[in-house]
């Protein structure tokens, strides 16, 4: 089930393309959903800034298994949100 909550979780994990797809689906079902509209505008701008980075970080996220890798991913997330 595609919900704002799931999209938000993906977004927080750095999976912005996946989150954007869900926000768009939510907006199709409810065209007046202001949260989805705001998120789409925000992520559409970030998409240009981080073109191809999300794919790389998604692969990294899916394969990481050490504390060092988790810390590196956390630093990347913090940097991308600031």
């Amino acid at each position: 089930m595609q919900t704002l909550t799931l999209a938000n979780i993906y977004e927080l994990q750095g999976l912005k393309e996946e989150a954007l797809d869900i926000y768009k689906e939510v907006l199709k079902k409810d065209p007046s959903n202001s949260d989805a509209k705001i998120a789409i505008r925000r992520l559409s701008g970030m998409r240009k800034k981080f073109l191809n980075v999300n794919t790389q970080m998604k692969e990294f996220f899916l394969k990481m298994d050490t504390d060092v890798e988790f810390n590196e991913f956390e630093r990347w997330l913090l940097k991308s949100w600031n």
Side-chain angles (χ1 to χ4, degrees), residues 59-74:
E59 291 301 316
F60 180 78
F61 174 75
L62 294 173
K63 294 178 182 176
M64 64 185 186
D65 64 355
T66 67
D67 287 342
V68 172
E69 290 172 331
F70 283 104
N71 289 337
E72 183 179 336
F73 188 75
E74 182 179 33

Side-chain angles (χ1 to χ4, degrees), residues 15 18 53-63:
L15 305 173
E18 290 83 349
V53 173
N54 289 340
T55 304
Q56 293 167 350
M57 289 312 287
K58 176 183 175 184
E59 291 301 316
F60 180 78
F61 174 75
L62 294 173
K63 294 178 182 176

Side-chain angles (χ1 to χ4, degrees), residues 2-3 7 11 13 20 24 30 45 48 63 66 75 80:
Q2 302 204 350
T3 65
E11 193 174 346
Q13 292 176 338
L20 186 58
K24 288 178 181 178
D30 179 9
K48 293 174 190 168
K63 294 178 182 176
T66 67
R75 282 192 298 277
S80 67

Side-chain angles (χ1 to χ4, degrees), residues 13-29:
Q13 292 176 338
L15 305 173
K16 295 185 184 357
E17 292 293 325
E18 290 83 349
L20 186 58
D21 290 342
I22 292 173
Y23 286 127
K24 288 178 181 178
E25 286 298 317
V26 168
L27 195 60
K28 280 182 191 177
K29 293 176 185 172

